[in-house]
Amino acid sequence: MAINIVINLAVALALLAFMYRQQSSHASFTVRVFTGLGLGVLLGAGLQAVYGAASLDLKTTGDYLDIVGTGYVKLLQMIIMPLIMVSIIAAILKLKNATSLGKISALTIGTLIATTIVAAGIGILMARLFELSAVGLTANAAEAARGAYLQGKLGDAQAISLPGMLISFIPANPFLDLTGARKTSTIAVVIFSIFIGISAIGIHDKKPELFASFDHFIKVAHAIVMRMVTLVLRLTPYGVFALMAGLVASSSYADILKLIHFVLASYSALILMFCVHLALVSAAGLNPLRYVQKIFPVLAFAFTSRTSAGSIPMSVQTQTRRLGTPEGIANFAASFGATIGQNGCAGIYPAMLAVMIAPTVGMDPFTAGFIVPLLAIIAIGSVGVAGVGGGATFAALIVLSSMNLPVALAGLLISIEPLIDMGRTALNVSGSIAAGTVASRVLGQTDMAVFHADAELGEDTETEEKSKAA
């Protein structure tokens, strides 16, 4: 191993050791996440300044940092399906009826789709204010290759219809979906878990002994899975540090400056939509500043990891242990939010692309004849957008092809795609948490004592109860 790489890794290990000392001295989880984020930016910027973005030494260093960053993401992905399954079954066993389940689903999904339509409208507004247009942009080799790739994927997007999406949610082989093999596996596991829960309730009166045994089994499984979630979430600051360092080190600042107009327009739209989320939370009777403080760690992880699905475990624990949302609602919001109605990937991004590309084919994107169909297509297309990397691309293909716009031009943004995707993913997760929070408040199920308490992510429930008792 080259001496340069050894030095780089030694510096990274020293920073990780500093973060571990923070943990040992009982610094708050939010402070440790902020520290990981800041140190990751500094390390990434320093490495690029010394070696340059195209350096082989930098790439090799990034590969080793991936052991921490990507390894952390994979650990989170490992617990997604078990968490969804046992949590939803446990929640249904507590509900004892399907009426509450229907209300939770309707409120959560309705909020997700409604906010996606609002997000699309904000995307259109920002595109207008920043005068975005693809007219006159030229493509380099990478952008041209990306355009050709998108053109090749067009057939898959055009083959998707709303009935087809809804059918894909049905778990024909639930064991396959438990592996996450399909884009809609998350929702399929939710549906399978609902069937198990409702079936179990059905034997409550007829076979109470069997029901009691199953209920006990689910409680044990739930306790074990939540313990596993706690163990993994304790690694969050280290994962954020490694992910951010790798991203900053490999970013091309020249490409970002070239398309800085689109970057500014995108983040203006993302920030404005986040303010809409805060307005909804405030309207539900919660302090928006305290709300932001509580959800920051999960947004920071979503921002650095760029995976909505990978954020599900942290989102669920944030909602239940910090916001006071019941576990059933939290799981529904996090699970549905990773696939349906993503405000960033399925709302803002395809809307801005459509407005940007429309002038290249002589269409005026600011007429009712263009905007109304665009919003309708985005609302329908937001159902079933994957919660992993590539979801925004898939949503853009659906919207652009449905509006008869050239999809290859979306390849012009490949150089800034990671930077934009960070903000989009954070907004997706923010939208799902806001949907769960609003649904919980509307149904009168939010535990305000938990919301006003100072619980930390990664703590054991027993530890929390002991601290409260003390």
Side-chain angles (χ1 to χ4, degrees), residues 84-209:
I84 291 172
M85 191 168 187
V86 299
S87 296
I88 288 180
I89 293 173
I92 292 174
L93 295 183
K94 291 177 183 177
L95 290 174
K96 295 292 191 297
N97 65 78
T99 303
S100 297
L101 186 63
K103 290 179 180 178
I104 292 170
S105 301
L107 277 170
T108 303
I109 295 174
T111 302
L112 287 169
I113 293 179
T115 53
T116 299
I117 295 173
V118 173
I122 289 175
I124 294 170
L125 175 64
M126 289 300 105
R128 177 65 181 267
L129 292 178
F130 282 84
E131 300 179 346
L132 298 182
S133 176
V135 175
L137 289 179
T138 57
N140 59 28
E143 291 163 349
R146 175 65 171 175
Y149 168 80
L150 293 174
Q151 195 69 45
K153 287 288 185 180
L154 181 58
D156 293 338
Q158 290 176 330
I160 295 296
S161 63
L162 181 58
M165 286 183 187
L166 296 177
I167 290 173
S168 71
F169 292 159
I170 300 174
N173 184 348
F175 299 101
L176 176 68
D177 286 316
L178 283 168
T179 68
R182 302 189 300 137
K183 289 181 178 294
T184 54
S185 283
T186 302
I187 300 300
V189 170
V190 170
I191 293 172
F192 181 57
S193 302
I194 290 172
F195 269 91
I196 293 176
I198 292 175
S199 299
I201 290 174
I203 67 169
H204 179 267
D205 295 326
K206 298 177 182 178
K207 300 179 180 180
E209 292 183 2

Side-chain angles (χ1 to χ4, degrees), residues 227-238:
R227 172 62 180 167
M228 191 160 45
V229 170
T230 296
L231 292 175
V232 174
L233 290 188
R234 287 176 180 172
L235 303 174
T236 300
Y238 312 108

